[in-house]
């Protein structure tokens, strides 16, 4: 029993924060404090809005931002990640609320948290390394567009239209603005965005987002700009922790939604952390620790009435762009939100929504790395296609579908590229080169034998083309298949090889194999392909041995003397 417990405990310990994680937090505390404060200001309306959208209320969104934001920062695997409620998660939660109520959402969050911890213990986070760069770049571009478009209603000073599709909501917001223009909101949003963008070029270390938001708030108050809608009333505190929502009878019906929530949380958090790494130099997240931190955050958040949380790309991007260098910034963000809940709600309530929209619009613009996109688009046609499809799917569908589509298309194109590298070449035996065959063997092979060298992978994507090429062999007595350069072979490739050998045998053509490696034998043997090659000893370790075997077969069958001399100019095969 102890032999099982010790590795499990060691694995848990490996996921916990280390001294190095804490040491980083003391290197640039001023920058982290300013970044955390900026993120808190940006996160506040998002947390409230996502809480309301989920159906559990503004208090739930704020509880998630505080509790989940702090725990994910402490135990996560990224120094820059900021976690909380997100728009993508809200879309998943709405039908759960409609079907199972608020208690169902809390249970789903709790179950999803346990699943995320399990994924971390299984080291599932490392598989994110297999996501192609074109998918990540497309995701980043798509999410930047979503973030920018989500701010259109507040930037135009109109009420947010109904709907969960960002393009539809944006269109309805434009229609509402056309009927009743609110140039005050537009001016505030544009001014804040311009101050941030121009200020970042002038003095990147200065937190112009805070300056712009404070300036916009003061202008709105001093000039009595009634058209600049403020955040409004905030909840006065967090609920006490409770497990009263747990209903074990609902577990079977909530397991599938919990799996979906856990998948989205893992996907969005790890992609967000990966994007954050790409926006900085020298930062590298630990995907398994990130899953562990997100799991603990989602286990704790429901106890305080919070909705499921993920790493939030918008807040993470603000965190990076405002100079964060450690997880202290994310902790400050959670602490500031907690203080706001209890002490500063009346002041923050006066911040214009248009000003916050300007912050996120500027953030979305700065997320788009034009140089990286141009380089990716020029790399290969496949990379360009994957990038565009992922971005469009992120904008038109949601993050999960976008990444799935990007991975499927990238995988299909990669298989096509790999399959195209597999070759079935007739071998030219050259007696003029040292170590090759004699003139007598040369004449024998030219008249009676064709040798094929299989290069590259022999798997399902290339197998049928291989069968067609091999089936076209004509006017020969013996075919030698040189297998030493086959990089990989799957069941489909083995079956096709068996089929080709069987067809050639039925035509009276003997097939011999050489250079079959140990890693290929199990697959070939499992489908019976080796049985055909073993027939009468037709499998050889090397090609020279196979040639000798072919020669002996022809001599024994009395076919050697019946073959005419090769015509002049015929290519040596």
């Amino acid at each position: 029993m102890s032999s099982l417990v010790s590795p499990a405990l060691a694995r848990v310990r490996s996921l916990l924060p280390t001294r190095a994680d804490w040491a980083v937090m003391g290197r640039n505390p001023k920058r982290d404090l300013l970044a955390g404060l900026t993120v808190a200001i940006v996160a506040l309306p998002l947390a409230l809005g996502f809480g309301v959208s989920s159906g559990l209320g503004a208090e739930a969104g704020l509880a998630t931002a505080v509790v989940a934001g702090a725990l994910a920062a402490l135990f996560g695997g990224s120094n820059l990640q900021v976690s909380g409620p997100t728009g993508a998660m809200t879309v998943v939660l709405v039908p759960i609320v409609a079907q199972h109520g608020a208690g169902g959402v809390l249970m789903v969050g709790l179950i999803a948290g346990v699943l995320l911890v399990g994924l971390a213990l299984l080291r599932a986070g490392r598989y994110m390394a297999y996501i192609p760069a074109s998918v990540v770049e497309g995701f980043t571009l798509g999410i930047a567009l979503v973030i920018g478009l989500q701010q259109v209603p507040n930037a135009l000073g109109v009420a947010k239209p109904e709907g969960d599709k960002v393009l539809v909501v944006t269109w309805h917001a434009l229609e509402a603005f056309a009927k009743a223009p609110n140039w005050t909101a537009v001016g505030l949003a544009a001014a804040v965005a311009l101050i941030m963008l121009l200020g970042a070029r002038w003095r990147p270390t200065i937190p112009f987002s805070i300056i712009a938001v404070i300036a916009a708030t003061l202008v709105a108050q001093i000039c009595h700009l009634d058209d600049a809608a403020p955040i409004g009333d905030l909840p006065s505190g967090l609920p006490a922790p409770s497990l009263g929502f747990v209903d074990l009878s609902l577990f079977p019906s909530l397991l599938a939604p919990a799996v979906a929530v856990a998948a989205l949380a893992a996907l969005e958090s790890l992609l967000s952390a990966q994007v954050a790494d790409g926006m900085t130099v020298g930062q590298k997240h630990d995907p398994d620790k990130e899953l562990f931190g997100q799991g603990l955050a989602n286990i704790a958040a429901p106890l305080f009435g919070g909705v499921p949380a993920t790493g939030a790309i918008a807040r993470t991007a603000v965190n990076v762009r405002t100079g964060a260098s450690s997880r202290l910034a994310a902790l400050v963000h959670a602490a500031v939100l907690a203080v706001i809940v209890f002490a500063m709600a009346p002041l923050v309530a006066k911040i214009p929504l248009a000003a916050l929209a300007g912050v996120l619009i500027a953030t979305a613009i700065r997320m788009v790395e034009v140089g990286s996109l141009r380089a990716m688009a020029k790399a290969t046609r496949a990379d360009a296609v994957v990038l565009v499809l992922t971005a469009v799917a992120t904008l038109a569908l949601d993050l999960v579908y976008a990444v799935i589509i990007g991975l499927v298309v990238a995988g299909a194109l990669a298989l096509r590229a790999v399959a195209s590298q597999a070759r079935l070449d007739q071998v030219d035996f050259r007696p003029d080169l040292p170590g090759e065959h004699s003139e007598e063997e040369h004449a024998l092979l030219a008249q009676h034998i064709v040798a094929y060298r299989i290069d590259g992978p022999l798997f399902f994507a290339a197998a049928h083309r291989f069968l067609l090429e091999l089936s076209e062999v004509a006017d020969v007595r013996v075919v030698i298949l040189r297998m030493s350069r086959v990089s990989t072979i799957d069941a489909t490739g083995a079956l096709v090889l068996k089929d080709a050998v069987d067809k050639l045998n039925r035509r009276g053509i003997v097939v011999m194999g050489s250079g079959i490696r140990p890693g290929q034998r199990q697959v070939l043997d499992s489908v019976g392909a080796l049985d055909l090659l073993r027939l009468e000893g037709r499998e050889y370790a090397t090609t020279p041995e196979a040639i000798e075997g072919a020669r002996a077969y022809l001599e024994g069958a009395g076919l050697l003397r019946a073959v005419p001399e090769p015509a002049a100019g015929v290519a040596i095969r």
Side-chain angles (χ1 to χ4, degrees), residues 539-562:
E539 181 196 346
Y540 298 88
T542 65
T543 301
E545 293 176 2
I547 294 171
E548 290 297 331
R551 185 180 182 188
Y553 165 77
L554 291 174
E555 289 177 347
L559 300 174
L560 185 60
R561 293 186 302 274

mmCIF file of all heavy atoms in Angstrom, residues 539-562:
data_model
loop_
_atom_site.group_PDB
_atom_site.id
_atom_site.type_symbol
_atom_site.label_atom_id
_atom_site.label_comp_id
_atom_site.label_asym_id
_atom_site.label_seq_id
_atom_site.Cartn_x
_atom_site.Cartn_y
_atom_site.Cartn_z
ATOM 1 N N GLU A 539 11.673 -14.047 -46.007
ATOM 2 C CA GLU A 539 12.038 -12.856 -45.236
ATOM 3 C C GLU A 539 13.523 -12.923 -44.924
ATOM 4 O O GLU A 539 14.016 -13.951 -44.449
ATOM 5 C CB GLU A 539 11.240 -12.779 -43.933
ATOM 6 C CG GLU A 539 11.586 -11.545 -43.117
ATOM 7 C CD GLU A 539 11.122 -11.637 -41.673
ATOM 8 O OE1 GLU A 539 10.309 -12.534 -41.361
ATOM 9 O OE2 GLU A 539 11.595 -10.822 -40.871
ATOM 10 N N TYR A 540 14.236 -11.814 -45.181
ATOM 11 C CA TYR A 540 15.685 -11.795 -45.015
ATOM 12 C C TYR A 540 16.084 -10.577 -44.181
ATOM 13 O O TYR A 540 15.390 -9.543 -44.176
ATOM 14 C CB TYR A 540 16.389 -11.747 -46.369
ATOM 15 C CG TYR A 540 16.099 -12.954 -47.235
ATOM 16 C CD1 TYR A 540 14.986 -12.958 -48.085
ATOM 17 C CD2 TYR A 540 16.908 -14.081 -47.183
ATOM 18 C CE1 TYR A 540 14.701 -14.066 -48.880
ATOM 19 C CE2 TYR A 540 16.640 -15.194 -47.981
ATOM 20 C CZ TYR A 540 15.527 -15.178 -48.820
ATOM 21 O OH TYR A 540 15.257 -16.277 -49.590
ATOM 22 N N ALA A 541 17.212 -10.717 -43.509
ATOM 23 C CA ALA A 541 17.690 -9.622 -42.659
ATOM 24 C C ALA A 541 18.211 -8.459 -43.484
ATOM 25 O O ALA A 541 18.039 -7.292 -43.115
ATOM 26 C CB ALA A 541 18.778 -10.128 -41.715
ATOM 27 N N THR A 542 18.863 -8.751 -44.621
ATOM 28 C CA THR A 542 19.455 -7.692 -45.443
ATOM 29 C C THR A 542 19.044 -7.876 -46.897
ATOM 30 O O THR A 542 18.624 -8.965 -47.322
ATOM 31 C CB THR A 542 20.989 -7.718 -45.348
ATOM 32 O OG1 THR A 542 21.476 -8.946 -45.908
ATOM 33 C CG2 THR A 542 21.441 -7.589 -43.893
ATOM 34 N N THR A 543 19.222 -6.812 -47.663
ATOM 35 C CA THR A 543 18.883 -6.873 -49.087
ATOM 36 C C THR A 543 19.806 -7.813 -49.866
ATOM 37 O O THR A 543 19.324 -8.571 -50.722
ATOM 38 C CB THR A 543 18.932 -5.458 -49.693
ATOM 39 O OG1 THR A 543 18.003 -4.630 -48.997
ATOM 40 C CG2 THR A 543 18.559 -5.488 -51.163
ATOM 41 N N PRO A 544 21.130 -7.832 -49.631
ATOM 42 C CA PRO A 544 21.974 -8.802 -50.344
ATOM 43 C C PRO A 544 21.512 -10.241 -50.126
ATOM 44 O O PRO A 544 21.545 -11.053 -51.048
ATOM 45 C CB PRO A 544 23.371 -8.549 -49.756
ATOM 46 C CG PRO A 544 23.347 -7.117 -49.361
ATOM 47 C CD PRO A 544 21.958 -6.884 -48.863
ATOM 48 N N GLU A 545 21.091 -10.566 -48.909
ATOM 49 C CA GLU A 545 20.587 -11.916 -48.648
ATOM 50 C C GLU A 545 19.308 -12.178 -49.432
ATOM 51 O O GLU A 545 19.093 -13.289 -49.943
ATOM 52 C CB GLU A 545 20.344 -12.107 -47.151
ATOM 53 C CG GLU A 545 21.609 -12.109 -46.312
ATOM 54 C CD GLU A 545 21.330 -12.208 -44.831
ATOM 55 O OE1 GLU A 545 20.139 -12.312 -44.457
ATOM 56 O OE2 GLU A 545 22.274 -12.171 -44.039
ATOM 57 N N ALA A 546 18.459 -11.157 -49.531
ATOM 58 C CA ALA A 546 17.223 -11.318 -50.301
ATOM 59 C C ALA A 546 17.536 -11.530 -51.781
ATOM 60 O O ALA A 546 16.869 -12.313 -52.470
ATOM 61 C CB ALA A 546 16.328 -10.090 -50.107
ATOM 62 N N ILE A 547 18.556 -10.849 -52.280
ATOM 63 C CA ILE A 547 18.943 -11.021 -53.686
ATOM 64 C C ILE A 547 19.438 -12.439 -53.941
ATOM 65 O O ILE A 547 19.091 -13.070 -54.946
ATOM 66 C CB ILE A 547 20.025 -9.985 -54.061
ATOM 67 C CG1 ILE A 547 19.435 -8.577 -54.006
ATOM 68 C CG2 ILE A 547 20.603 -10.274 -55.447
ATOM 69 C CD1 ILE A 547 20.463 -7.481 -54.140
ATOM 70 N N GLU A 548 20.242 -12.946 -53.018
ATOM 71 C CA GLU A 548 20.707 -14.323 -53.151
ATOM 72 C C GLU A 548 19.535 -15.291 -53.108
ATOM 73 O O GLU A 548 19.498 -16.293 -53.847
ATOM 74 C CB GLU A 548 21.708 -14.642 -52.034
ATOM 75 C CG GLU A 548 23.038 -13.925 -52.163
ATOM 76 C CD GLU A 548 23.781 -14.340 -53.431
ATOM 77 O OE1 GLU A 548 23.590 -15.485 -53.899
ATOM 78 O OE2 GLU A 548 24.548 -13.513 -53.968
ATOM 79 N N GLY A 549 18.558 -15.001 -52.230
ATOM 80 C CA GLY A 549 17.379 -15.846 -52.157
ATOM 81 C C GLY A 549 16.569 -15.812 -53.440
ATOM 82 O O GLY A 549 16.053 -16.847 -53.908
ATOM 83 N N ALA A 550 16.454 -14.652 -54.042
ATOM 84 C CA ALA A 550 15.726 -14.529 -55.308
ATOM 85 C C ALA A 550 16.445 -15.280 -56.424
ATOM 86 O O ALA A 550 15.829 -15.955 -57.258
ATOM 87 C CB ALA A 550 15.577 -13.050 -55.673
ATOM 88 N N ARG A 551 17.762 -15.172 -56.408
ATOM 89 C CA ARG A 551 18.551 -15.868 -57.426
ATOM 90 C C ARG A 551 18.390 -17.384 -57.306
ATOM 91 O O ARG A 551 18.214 -18.098 -58.309
ATOM 92 C CB ARG A 551 20.013 -15.464 -57.251
ATOM 93 C CG ARG A 551 20.939 -16.018 -58.296
ATOM 94 C CD ARG A 551 22.335 -15.538 -57.996
ATOM 95 N NE ARG A 551 23.284 -15.984 -58.997
ATOM 96 C CZ ARG A 551 24.597 -15.833 -58.903
ATOM 97 N NH1 ARG A 551 25.104 -15.229 -57.842
ATOM 98 N NH2 ARG A 551 25.395 -16.262 -59.850
ATOM 99 N N ALA A 552 18.418 -17.856 -56.053
ATOM 100 C CA ALA A 552 18.266 -19.297 -55.841
ATOM 101 C C ALA A 552 16.882 -19.763 -56.273
ATOM 102 O O ALA A 552 16.726 -20.853 -56.852
ATOM 103 C CB ALA A 552 18.503 -19.621 -54.367
ATOM 104 N N TYR A 553 15.883 -18.916 -55.994
ATOM 105 C CA TYR A 553 14.513 -19.293 -56.394
ATOM 106 C C TYR A 553 14.398 -19.398 -57.909
ATOM 107 O O TYR A 553 13.835 -20.365 -58.448
ATOM 108 C CB TYR A 553 13.526 -18.257 -55.863
ATOM 109 C CG TYR A 553 12.161 -18.356 -56.518
ATOM 110 C CD1 TYR A 553 11.258 -19.350 -56.154
ATOM 111 C CD2 TYR A 553 11.799 -17.450 -57.519
ATOM 112 C CE1 TYR A 553 10.017 -19.455 -56.773
ATOM 113 C CE2 TYR A 553 10.559 -17.548 -58.143
ATOM 114 C CZ TYR A 553 9.669 -18.545 -57.762
ATOM 115 O OH TYR A 553 8.449 -18.649 -58.380
ATOM 116 N N LEU A 554 14.934 -18.435 -58.637
ATOM 117 C CA LEU A 554 14.848 -18.447 -60.099
ATOM 118 C C LEU A 554 15.601 -19.635 -60.696
ATOM 119 O O LEU A 554 15.146 -20.269 -61.647
ATOM 120 C CB LEU A 554 15.393 -17.139 -60.661
ATOM 121 C CG LEU A 554 14.550 -15.886 -60.373
ATOM 122 C CD1 LEU A 554 15.287 -14.657 -60.869
ATOM 123 C CD2 LEU A 554 13.196 -15.999 -61.025
ATOM 124 N N GLU A 555 16.769 -19.918 -60.124
ATOM 125 C CA GLU A 555 17.530 -21.055 -60.620
ATOM 126 C C GLU A 555 16.789 -22.358 -60.361
ATOM 127 O O GLU A 555 16.728 -23.251 -61.216
ATOM 128 C CB GLU A 555 18.907 -21.091 -59.960
ATOM 129 C CG GLU A 555 19.832 -19.972 -60.439
ATOM 130 C CD GLU A 555 21.163 -19.995 -59.699
ATOM 131 O OE1 GLU A 555 21.261 -20.713 -58.671
ATOM 132 O OE2 GLU A 555 22.086 -19.288 -60.141
ATOM 133 N N GLY A 556 16.199 -22.460 -59.147
ATOM 134 C CA GLY A 556 15.482 -23.675 -58.805
ATOM 135 C C GLY A 556 14.233 -23.873 -59.632
ATOM 136 O O GLY A 556 13.838 -25.015 -59.928
ATOM 137 N N ALA A 557 13.589 -22.769 -60.031
ATOM 138 C CA ALA A 557 12.369 -22.867 -60.833
ATOM 139 C C ALA A 557 12.663 -23.002 -62.312
ATOM 140 O O ALA A 557 11.737 -23.100 -63.127
ATOM 141 C CB ALA A 557 11.488 -21.642 -60.590
ATOM 142 N N GLY A 558 13.952 -22.983 -62.691
ATOM 143 C CA GLY A 558 14.311 -23.108 -64.091
ATOM 144 C C GLY A 558 13.942 -21.900 -64.919
ATOM 145 O O GLY A 558 13.741 -22.005 -66.130
ATOM 146 N N LEU A 559 13.858 -20.743 -64.302
ATOM 147 C CA LEU A 559 13.440 -19.530 -65.021
ATOM 148 C C LEU A 559 14.628 -18.671 -65.427
ATOM 149 O O LEU A 559 14.466 -17.733 -66.202
ATOM 150 C CB LEU A 559 12.493 -18.700 -64.131
ATOM 151 C CG LEU A 559 11.204 -19.406 -63.706
ATOM 152 C CD1 LEU A 559 10.437 -18.534 -62.724
ATOM 153 C CD2 LEU A 559 10.350 -19.715 -64.928
ATOM 154 N N LEU A 560 15.777 -18.966 -64.914
ATOM 155 C CA LEU A 560 16.910 -18.079 -65.150
ATOM 156 C C LEU A 560 17.337 -18.054 -66.615
ATOM 157 O O LEU A 560 17.612 -17.013 -67.177
ATOM 158 C CB LEU A 560 18.084 -18.508 -64.265
ATOM 159 C CG LEU A 560 19.322 -17.605 -64.298
ATOM 160 C CD1 LEU A 560 18.960 -16.210 -63.845
ATOM 161 C CD2 LEU A 560 20.422 -18.197 -63.439
ATOM 162 N N ARG A 561 17.361 -19.251 -67.268
ATOM 163 C CA ARG A 561 17.859 -19.307 -68.634
ATOM 164 C C ARG A 561 16.823 -18.827 -69.644
ATOM 165 O O ARG A 561 17.149 -18.548 -70.781
ATOM 166 C CB ARG A 561 18.264 -20.744 -68.958
ATOM 167 C CG ARG A 561 19.474 -21.216 -68.156
ATOM 168 C CD ARG A 561 19.910 -22.608 -68.625
ATOM 169 N NE ARG A 561 18.839 -23.571 -68.497
ATOM 170 C CZ ARG A 561 18.589 -24.251 -67.370
ATOM 171 N NH1 ARG A 561 19.344 -24.049 -66.280
ATOM 172 N NH2 ARG A 561 17.617 -25.148 -67.330
ATOM 173 N N ALA A 562 15.549 -18.762 -69.244
ATOM 174 C CA ALA A 562 14.493 -18.444 -70.208
ATOM 175 C C ALA A 562 14.333 -16.955 -70.425
ATOM 176 O O ALA A 562 13.580 -16.537 -71.287
ATOM 177 C CB ALA A 562 13.166 -19.026 -69.746
#
